[in-house]
Amino acid sequence: MELPKYVNDVSAVVAHALAEDVGGGDFTARLVPAGEQGRAYVISRENAVVCGRPWVDEVFRQLDTAIEVKWLVQEGQQVAPDQRLYELKGPARALLTGERPALNFLQTLSGTATAVRQYVDAVAGTGARIADTRKTLPGLRNAQKYAVLCGGGINHRIGLYDGILIKENHIAAAGGIRQAIANARALQAGVPLMTEAETLEEARAALEADVDLLLVDDFSLPDLREAVRLVREHRARGGKTVIEYSGGATLQNVRGYAECGVDRIAIGSITKHIRALDLSMRFA
């Protein structure tokens, strides 16, 4: 899978990860003779969606360009327990040094992609898409956003710079939703204008302004269906607003929200509550 343009920090993120792990040098790896060559492979110990190849490749490239990484799976591929993911060949010291940083990236990003795929499967056939949020691990924003794509989800905004999302605190500080939207229009920022609504009244105000995206937060199912009806009427009149649900969605109830007819469902847990997958590297 090709990296999106916003993923432009792979080298810097990997360099930071190696610096915090290796520091002044890997003393344990020096137990192995300097010229020793090695072979190793990484396996998955559980069902997973693979994500993180660019970060793994960069770890070993920065440690020693003589290392060869042979991938046996593709990004976004579903794998089974005991399946080989990639094989390594090169200087044994560098292979040992890179083992943990490479696995850290692969376990975390595959964990994100796997969680996303579970939600995508849960809403299959409804037409709803699973979207991420800004609730990401510090320093891994771009990587996790990419992992969401690998899992079959879509990105909301990447950061504060590529979209305006008016939330409850902005509404309160601006003196109301209409004033907040007016202030946002005045910026002429050239980015999508989105607003959160906590009531049907706020949803109607957002539709009057034909915002790009209406994010309905913690609506009951009856109110959510009514919001969907309002959005569909708005679009039938030529409006462009997309409706997204946020708040309280789990794997157990997400389909119920999707069946209300929303376009998207935002899930913060797919990037916030991540369990790293169980992977293992073994020397051949």
Side-chain angles (χ1 to χ4, degrees), residues 36-118:
E36 188 78 15
Q37 297 294 299
R39 291 176 178 270
Y41 61 90
V42 168
I43 64 169
S44 172
R45 294 187 177 276
E46 59 184 307
N47 293 314
V49 175
V50 174
C51 179
R53 283 180 48 164
W55 289 264
V56 172
D57 290 342
E58 184 65 12
V59 165
F60 292 110
R61 187 196 69 79
Q62 290 193 22
L63 287 172
D64 196 319
T65 56
I67 294 175
E68 297 179 21
V69 184
K70 180 182 178 181
W71 284 92
L72 306 176
V73 297
Q74 300 299 317
E75 288 281 77
Q77 181 178 332
Q78 183 83 41
V79 297
D82 297 321
Q83 185 169 345
R84 286 198 184 195
L85 307 184
Y86 61 91
E87 298 173 343
L88 297 162
K89 181 173 67 174
R93 283 187 176 182
L95 295 184
L96 291 166
T97 299
E99 174 183 359
R100 178 44 51 197
L103 287 178
N104 283 347
F105 282 114
L106 193 63
Q107 288 174 310
T108 301
L109 298 181
S110 295
T112 300
T114 301
V116 174
R117 184 68 57 83
Q118 291 172 340

Side-chain angles (χ1 to χ4, degrees), residues 107-167:
Q107 288 174 310
T108 301
L109 298 181
S110 295
T112 300
T114 301
V116 174
R117 184 68 57 83
Q118 291 172 340
Y119 275 96
V120 169
D121 290 344
V123 302
T126 66
R129 305 291 304 277
I130 299 299
D132 56 27
T133 70
R134 286 171 49 239
K135 298 173 183 176
T136 54
L137 300 177
L140 286 179
R141 166 70 57 80
N142 293 340
Q144 282 195 287
K145 291 279 190 177
Y146 164 73
V148 169
L149 301 182
C150 285
I154 59 174
N155 297 145
H156 198 278
R157 51 180 178 165
I158 305 305
L160 296 172
Y161 58 88
D162 65 335
I164 296 172
L165 177 53
I166 300 169
K167 296 177 70 67

